[in-house]
Amino acid sequence: MRISELSCRTGASIPTIKFYVREGLLAPGRVTDGRHAEYDDDHVSRIYLIKTLTVMGRMTISAARDALRAIDERGIEVRGLCGVVNDALFGEPASTADLPLRGGVRQRIDAFIAQLGWQVDDDSPSRVTLSQVFTALERLGGDGAHADVEALAPYALAAARLADLEKRALPRSVDSSQEAGRAVARAVLYEVALSSLRRMAREHLIASWDEGQGGVVRPAG
């Protein structure tokens, strides 16, 4: 197909498609007569993946490029999918120079993760991000504030259950970069879905307060 048909099938404008090619996100089309290029269904699938990462997942172009490179170069093992998604979505925590950690916060976060029994790398960006969150919480409460890390326990329990559901949906093995791309896209979409559900639950609770219902959310069934 020509680039005009590729644009119609994917909803990506022709300038956007050319931008993806220039940025190394999308392979160039096959040149046919020195002036025109042809594209195929692989380009269609790739554009859908790029849009999932950058539009739905709100990744930067740089983060999406890194994720796609990891998928393409390694063919990626199933156990590496989590790392690719985490690095792409959360691989750049706020600079500690902008928000220096308060004394003891990182140690308390590390102790909490150890208490959960979770296998998380010591240099995981998520550890830094969580430490920065609690540093910010303590600053909101003033110099003597001490945020309770144990307040994270319900969140950790919910996160573990959701992660287990996602793990069960993963294929046992990944035989191609295209299949790996679909698995990564699925993980990103679940991340977006979780955020959307949490926002809707918050909206429901606030509405329930207004109606004097106590704001209790119970799953149907």
Coordinates of all heavy atoms in Angstrom, one line a residue, residues 15 28 33 71 88 93 117-118 136 159 162 169 177 185 187 211-212 221:
P15 N 2.2 13.3 7.6 CA 3.4 13.9 8.3 C 3.7 13.2 9.5 O 4.9 13.1 9.9 CB 2.9 15.4 8.6 CG 1.9 15.7 7.5 CD 1.2 14.4 7.3
P28 N 11.2 2.4 7.3 CA 10.8 3.0 6.1 C 10.1 2.0 5.2 O 10.2 0.8 5.3 CB 12.1 3.5 5.4 CG 13.1 3.4 6.6 CD 12.7 2.4 7.5
D33 N 10.0 2.7 -7.1 CA 10.4 3.3 -8.4 C 11.3 4.5 -8.2 O 11.3 5.4 -9.1 CB 9.1 3.7 -9.2 CG 8.2 4.6 -8.5 OD1 8.6 5.1 -7.4 OD2 7.1 4.8 -8.9
I71 N 12.2 -4.3 22.3 CA 11.3 -5.4 21.7 C 12.0 -5.9 20.5 O 12.0 -7.1 20.3 CB 9.9 -4.8 21.4 CG1 9.2 -4.5 22.7 CG2 9.1 -5.8 20.5 CD1 7.9 -3.7 22.5
A88 N 9.8 2.3 30.4 CA 9.2 3.2 29.4 C 8.2 4.2 30.1 O 8.2 5.4 29.8 CB 8.5 2.5 28.3
P93 N 12.4 9.1 37.0 CA 11.8 9.8 38.2 C 12.3 11.2 38.3 O 13.3 11.6 37.7 CB 12.4 8.9 39.4 CG 13.6 8.3 38.9 CD 13.4 8.0 37.4
G117 N 8.1 -8.8 50.8 CA 8.7 -10.0 50.2 C 8.8 -9.8 48.7 O 9.0 -10.8 48.0
W118 N 8.7 -8.6 48.2 CA 8.8 -8.4 46.8 C 10.2 -8.3 46.3 O 11.1 -7.8 47.0 CB 8.1 -7.0 46.4 CG 6.6 -7.0 46.5 CD1 5.8 -8.1 46.9 CD2 5.8 -5.9 46.2 NE1 4.5 -7.7 46.9 CE2 4.4 -6.4 46.5 CE3 5.9 -4.6 45.8 CZ2 3.3 -5.6 46.3 CZ3 4.8 -3.8 45.6 CH2 3.5 -4.3 45.9
A136 N 7.6 14.3 49.7 CA 6.7 15.3 49.5 C 5.5 15.3 50.5 O 5.1 16.4 50.9 CB 6.1 15.2 48.0
A159 N -2.3 -3.8 44.3 CA -1.4 -3.8 43.2 C -0.9 -5.2 42.9 O -0.8 -5.6 41.8 CB -0.2 -2.9 43.5
L162 N -3.7 -7.2 41.1 CA -3.8 -6.7 39.7 C -2.7 -7.2 38.9 O -2.8 -7.7 37.8 CB -4.0 -5.2 39.7 CG -5.3 -4.6 40.2 CD1 -5.2 -3.1 40.4 CD2 -6.4 -5.0 39.3
A169 N -2.4 -13.2 32.1 CA -2.8 -12.9 30.8 C -1.6 -12.9 29.8 O -1.8 -13.0 28.6 CB -3.5 -11.6 30.7
S177 N 9.0 -10.4 17.7 CA 8.9 -9.0 18.3 C 7.5 -8.5 18.2 O 7.1 -7.7 19.0 CB 9.9 -8.1 17.5 OG 9.6 -8.1 16.1
A185 N 2.0 -3.6 24.7 CA 0.9 -2.7 24.5 C -0.3 -3.1 25.5 O -0.9 -2.2 26.1 CB 0.4 -2.8 23.1
A187 N 0.0 -4.5 28.4 CA 0.4 -4.1 29.8 C 0.2 -2.6 29.9 O -0.3 -2.1 31.0 CB 1.8 -4.4 30.0
E211 N -24.6 13.2 48.1 CA -25.9 12.6 48.2 C -26.2 12.0 49.6 O -27.2 11.4 49.8 CB -26.1 11.5 47.1 CG -26.1 12.1 45.7 CD -25.9 11.0 44.7 OE1 -26.0 9.8 45.1 OE2 -25.8 11.3 43.5
G212 N -25.1 12.1 50.5 CA -25.3 11.5 51.8 C -25.3 10.0 51.9 O -25.9 9.4 52.8
G221 N -22.3 -7.7 42.1 CA -22.3 -9.1 42.2 C -21.6 -9.6 43.5 O -21.5 -10.8 43.7

